[in-house]
Amino acid sequence: MTRPSLTLLSLFAGLISLGAQAQTSGASLLPSDGGASATRHFDSLGKPPSKFTIELRNGQKAELPFADKRDFDEAKRGFVAEPSYTKIMADAGHVAWDMGSYGWLLTGKDFESIHPSLQRQAILNMGYGLYEVIPGRVYQVRGYDLANISFIKGDTGWIVFDPLTVQETARAALEFINDRLGKRPVVGVVYSHSHADHFGGVRGVIDEADVAGGKVMVIAPEGFLEAAISENIFAGNAMSRRLQWQYAVLLQRSPHGHVDQAIGKNVGNGNAGLIAPNRLVKKGVEEITLDGVHMVFQNVPDTEAPVEMNTYFPQFKALWTSELVTATVHNIYTLRGAQVRNAHNWSKQVALTLYKFGQEAEVLFASHSWPRWGNGRIQEVLRAQRDAYANLNNQVLHYANQGVTINEIHNVYEVPKSLRDQWAVRSYHGDVQNNTRAVINRFLGHYDGNPVNLIPLSPKDSAPLYVEMMGGAAKIVTKGEELLAQDKLLLATEILNKLVFAEPQNQPARRLLADVYEQLGYRAESTSVRNSFLQGAFELRNGRPGGVPPRPTGPDVIRAMSTEQWLDFIGISLDPKKAEGMRFTINLVTPDNSEQYTIEMTNATLTNIKGFQAKSPDLTVTVNRADLNQVMMGQASFDDLIAAGKARFEGDRTGFDQLRAILIPFTPDFEILPGSAAKALTTPPKPFEVRNVVDLD
């Protein structure tokens, strides 16, 4: 059985070769209605692209390098087989992955509600199935999660690179490749870096007992475990809410909604786990041979992740660039929230990769996107990526040194045309305007030098004054309608945003701002920007959908979290207004790992120090860390552990009870725009429970 060839009605001639590739008895991704339903807006209040959006899109099509179709040839090269299913079910019974929900992208339609460059990227990311990268030795399963899962064939088994986000998709990928190529054991796993879509599915491909027994080597860069846990603990709840906007996880998959995530289609929704590595790469360049496969690892920290590494396979002349180099310019600042990344160092590390391995590599592949073949092509891509980050860093600082501020730089910086004309460095995942501001923030911080911005008013406080001075809501709505009709969208957002913050229940204002957001979303090349505007439009019109469960932190992550990190998180969780006047000292002892902590409440602040015990504490708590995990996961209370003889309290527990009573349960359903409260609130965590550690790209 073969998938029907695609006939596009527009300029996307390069897509034909991708859609027409031969398939072997796979499930068709094409929708049964031919994509007719996708042309209808999923929101009854939604609007189609305006004439201005369509005109702008037509101009973009004329400027983009569509004559370069090499990506389509490379994306289909090495195709082996497509699975017989489009959905992967989670162990809990819900759908963990649904590639078929994006099938409308393969109908040959030119969607005016999607930036033409982004539509091209979204179709390239529709690769679904097993691909051969190096004949008989290197394979990838693509389209099973946000990332690719790569399989290196050793003498006796598979070495798995980056086992996806959840175990259900990783397990399905392993079963699929074994079914097609013959069953082989997994003898090694490589975590390229510390983001969850590169390690969370590990339990789908190996057992922890085999790692502990030395049967499986799990390789990671030095500092992996700490980075995988610590990067997002303290603001994890806020990141979870913001992730809903950046990844549009609450939007329908539609030409008017979610179309792609730039580096893959979406994120698997199942069981995420973590097995600690038993082999760390500590040197800048370090060689490991496993099951007959010689691997040269290059640590590239402080780039796309706090710790990350590339891998070169000399015997195959194949270069794995983790997420340092994929088919996009990445986030220097990711909209879910994270520490600003180092564009300068990112460029330097790509340059090192180019000169150390790129001079002889014949295949370049990565944890996202598709491979590139031929040394000339590889050097071209590496140079473009190197220059994109270097130009961003250098040009932004060039203007900053002339007085251009963080609030102006995005309107000044311009990507050189020579880079704009290369698909490999378009801003699909990162956003060029946002990234410029991130560079200034890294070097100069958020302050622009104007003293008025040292003490800015909160929007809810300043907005009423703006509304009053503009003559009231009716005049603002009228002016907003006029600006929208003139396609002056950013000016419209400036005044309508003030009105929504001043009058959150003003429905004409909310719906008009949503209309403006929607047009901005349709025009965005970056998925993060598109998703943010379209999710904002949806919530302005409908409020935040209720009943969406958070992604709870799994037991593996809890076990890997240090007790000190957990205590620090408790200090963040307490209500500081209710803590005023409290004063107590608690000693915590965890005998099974021989740790001790002193915890003090003073000045409405909870602090802790590892390795010390107060001489005269109010209370001493003794509990094995293995049992404390149950409290951290919300599966038991301290009182449950005391009753079971697994915890001992000695002294006055008044301070402990006071602390427990003032902990605020964080849930990822707070308003981003006022008046958009969730219809049904998320079930809050239990006292001392940790949830919502977010660690995606």
Side-chain angles (χ1 to χ4, degrees):
M1 175 180 176
T2 60
R3 180 187 296 168
S5 296
L6 305 181
T7 303
L8 290 179
L9 305 177
S10 66
L11 67 144
F12 295 105
L15 309 187
I16 296 175
S17 61
L18 183 65
Q21 67 188 41
Q23 306 290 314
T24 58
S25 63
S28 175
L29 296 177
L30 291 168
S32 58
D33 65 356
S37 60
T39 62
R40 299 190 295 270
H41 203 301
F42 61 87
D43 187 345
S44 62
L45 298 174
K47 302 294 192 300
S50 69
K51 65 176 183 179
F52 298 106
T53 296
I54 295 171
E55 289 172 2
L56 178 63
R57 190 177 192 275
N58 290 335
Q60 291 165 337
K61 286 194 291 189
E63 294 177 357
L64 289 163
F66 282 106
D68 181 358
K69 304 171 186 177
R70 290 175 294 173
D71 285 332
F72 295 101
D73 295 331
E74 292 167 329
K76 72 175 183 177
R77 180 170 171 174
F79 173 78
V80 176
E82 186 176 64
S84 60
Y85 48 82
T86 61
K87 293 181 181 179
I88 299 171
M89 302 305 294
D91 294 342
H94 62 272
V95 176
W97 184 253
D98 183 5
M99 196 64 168
S101 63
Y102 295 99
W104 47 269
L105 280 162
L106 299 178
T107 58
K109 293 180 172 62
D110 187 1
F111 296 105
E112 293 175 333
S113 55
I114 308 174
H115 189 291
S117 175
L118 177 56
Q119 181 171 341
R120 176 188 180 278
Q121 182 80 354
I123 296 175
L124 282 162
N125 280 332
M126 288 298 291
Y128 182 50
L130 176 62
Y131 293 79
E132 185 178 64
V133 179
I134 297 290
R137 298 307 297 259
V138 178
Y139 299 86
Q140 288 187 314
V141 175
R142 301 181 205 143
Y144 271 51
D145 209 316
L146 185 66
N148 301 325
I149 181 170
S150 299
F151 295 87
I152 316 301
K153 188 177 182 180
D155 293 340
T156 65
W158 298 117
I159 302 171
V160 177
F161 272 63
D162 286 4
L164 307 182
T165 312
V166 296
Q167 68 183 39
E168 291 91 339
T169 55
R171 182 172 60 228
L174 178 61
E175 290 173 352
F176 185 52
I177 192 173
N178 278 338
D179 178 65
R180 302 301 306 190
L181 302 181
K183 188 172 183 179
R184 301 170 65 84
V186 174
V187 298
V189 170
V190 175
Y191 302 143
S192 69
H193 62 286
S194 54
H195 292 147
D197 51 319
H198 303 268
F199 66 79
V202 65
R203 291 188 181 273
V205 296
I206 59 172
D207 293 323
E208 190 166 14
D210 290 337
V211 179
K215 290 177 62 177
V216 176
M217 182 182 294
V218 179
I219 306 170
E222 184 176 31
F224 166 82
L225 208 56
E226 180 182 358
I229 303 303
S230 67
E231 188 178 12
N232 302 314
I233 286 177
F234 300 143
N237 187 72
M239 290 181 184
S240 289
R241 178 67 172 113
R242 289 162 60 133
L243 185 78
Q244 294 170 10
W245 285 48
Q246 183 185 354
Y247 279 65
V249 296
L250 306 179
L251 278 189
Q252 214 165 316
R253 294 165 184 184
S254 154
H256 301 96
H258 191 275
V259 303
D260 199 57
Q261 206 51 53
I263 52 176
K265 299 314 297 178
N266 213 308
V267 184
N269 183 18
N271 292 306
L274 174 60
I275 296 176
N278 56 11
R279 176 66 165 86
L280 295 178
V281 175
K282 299 181 179 181
K283 300 176 183 177
V285 175
E286 191 167 332
E287 301 184 23
I288 297 174
T289 299
L290 174 62
D291 199 32
V293 178
H294 185 207
M295 298 173 286
V296 182
F297 293 96
Q298 174 200 1
N299 267 316
V300 291
D302 193 25
T303 54
E304 189 269 338
V307 298
E308 190 153 353
M309 62 186 186
N310 295 335
T311 310
Y312 185 58
F313 302 88
Q315 67 206 94
F316 311 140
K317 291 191 175 181
L319 174 60
W320 158 273
T321 52
S322 58
E323 204 165 335
L324 185 78
V325 174
T326 59
T328 180
V329 168
H330 216 290
N331 296 297
I332 300 303
Y333 168 72
T334 182
L335 299 188
R336 66 171 165 84
Q339 294 182 9
V340 172
R341 295 163 183 170
N342 190 337
H344 176 67
N345 184 59
W346 201 322
S347 173
K348 293 285 188 181
Q349 293 292 356
V350 175
L352 182 59
T353 302
L354 168 65
Y355 279 94
K356 190 161 188 65
F357 307 114
Q359 305 303 304
E360 67 174 34
E362 292 295 335
V363 179
L364 183 151
F365 67 118
S367 57
H368 297 280
S369 312
W370 48 91
R372 277 65 170 241
W373 281 268
N375 186 257
R377 171 70 159 152
I378 290 168
Q379 291 201 39
E380 171 196 324
V381 169
L382 292 176
R383 282 191 168 87
Q385 290 266 327
R386 176 199 65 186
D387 294 348
Y389 294 110
N391 184 273
L392 174 73
N393 183 82
N394 296 349
Q395 192 180 151
V396 166
L397 294 180
H398 171 85
Y399 288 118
N401 279 306
Q402 297 180 68
V404 177
T405 72
I406 194 170
N407 296 320
E408 300 166 320
I409 187 61
H410 53 288
N411 294 317
V412 175
Y413 176 82
E414 184 176 351
V415 179
K417 186 177 186 305
S418 54
L419 287 174
R420 295 200 307 271
D421 286 345
Q422 299 187 62
W423 291 117
V425 286
R426 302 290 303 187
S427 292
Y428 298 117
H429 200 39
D431 171 62
V432 62
Q433 292 176 307
N434 179 56
N435 279 347
T436 62
R437 302 182 74 197
V439 172
I440 287 192
N441 190 38
R442 183 175 182 90
F443 283 90
L444 296 173
H446 69 273
Y447 176 50
D448 65 355
N450 184 344
V452 73
N453 292 320
L454 286 174
I455 317 172
L457 288 165
S458 296
K460 66 180 180 61
D461 296 325
S462 62
L465 176 61
Y466 279 93
V467 171
E468 177 188 349
M469 296 303 294
M470 284 187 279
K475 285 190 175 182
I476 295 174
V477 169
T478 299
K479 185 63 176 179
E481 292 172 336
E482 177 185 323
L483 292 170
L484 176 59
Q486 296 171 350
D487 201 43
K488 297 178 179 178
L489 301 185
L490 294 180
L491 290 177
T493 63
E494 184 75 13
I495 61 172
L496 291 171
N497 183 64
K498 297 289 192 297
L499 179 52
V500 167
F501 270 89
E503 300 180 11
Q505 302 307 319
N506 187 321
Q507 291 304 314
R510 297 178 69 84
R511 292 182 179 181
L512 185 56
L513 181 56
D515 291 346
V516 177
Y517 272 11
E518 194 164 50
Q519 297 304 316
L520 288 168
Y522 292 158
R523 299 177 186 190
E525 183 177 28
S526 164
T527 58
S528 297
V529 174
R530 174 188 171 91
N531 292 343
S532 296
F533 276 119
L534 296 185
Q535 181 67 37
F538 184 87
E539 293 193 15
L540 281 164
R541 291 166 175 157
N542 304 285
R544 180 189 176 277
V548 179
R551 293 178 179 271
T553 299
D556 288 343
V557 176
I558 293 298
R559 284 194 291 267
M561 186 185 302
S562 72
T563 306
E564 184 174 16
Q565 289 171 332
W566 174 67
L567 291 171
D568 288 341
F569 180 74
I570 293 172
I572 293 168
S573 300
L574 66 84
D575 187 336
K577 292 184 172 61
K578 295 180 180 178
E580 191 66 57
M582 291 184 184
R583 188 180 185 92
F584 56 80
T585 302
I586 298 174
N587 281 345
L588 172 64
V589 182
T590 53
D592 60 340
N593 63 357
S594 303
E595 289 185 350
Q596 297 179 334
Y597 296 86
T598 294
I599 304 159
E600 289 190 68
M601 173 73 88
T602 54
N603 301 310
T605 305
L606 190 74
T607 61
N608 69 85
I609 184 168
K610 182 179 179 180
F612 290 88
Q613 294 280 270
K615 293 182 179 179
S616 301
D618 298 291
L619 176 68
T620 296
V621 176
T622 304
V623 58
N624 282 333
R625 171 56 202 260
D627 295 318
L628 183 60
N629 288 337
Q630 302 302 305
V631 176
M632 296 166 67
M633 287 186 284
Q635 296 178 353
S637 68
F638 273 103
D639 290 325
D640 292 334
L641 296 183
I642 292 171
K646 295 181 178 180
R648 186 170 68 253
F649 278 29
E650 298 173 279
D652 182 1
R653 60 175 288 168
T654 301
F656 171 87
D657 291 332
Q658 289 176 332
L659 173 63
R660 182 168 60 181
I662 64 170
L663 295 180
I664 300 298
F666 296 139
T667 56
D669 51 11
F670 55 80
E671 292 182 336
I672 291 178
L673 295 173
S676 304
K679 296 174 182 176
L681 297 179
T682 305
T683 302
K686 297 176 181 178
F688 304 113
E689 181 181 358
V690 180
R691 281 194 194 166
N692 303 310
V693 174
V694 177
D695 211 349
L696 293 174
D697 298 293

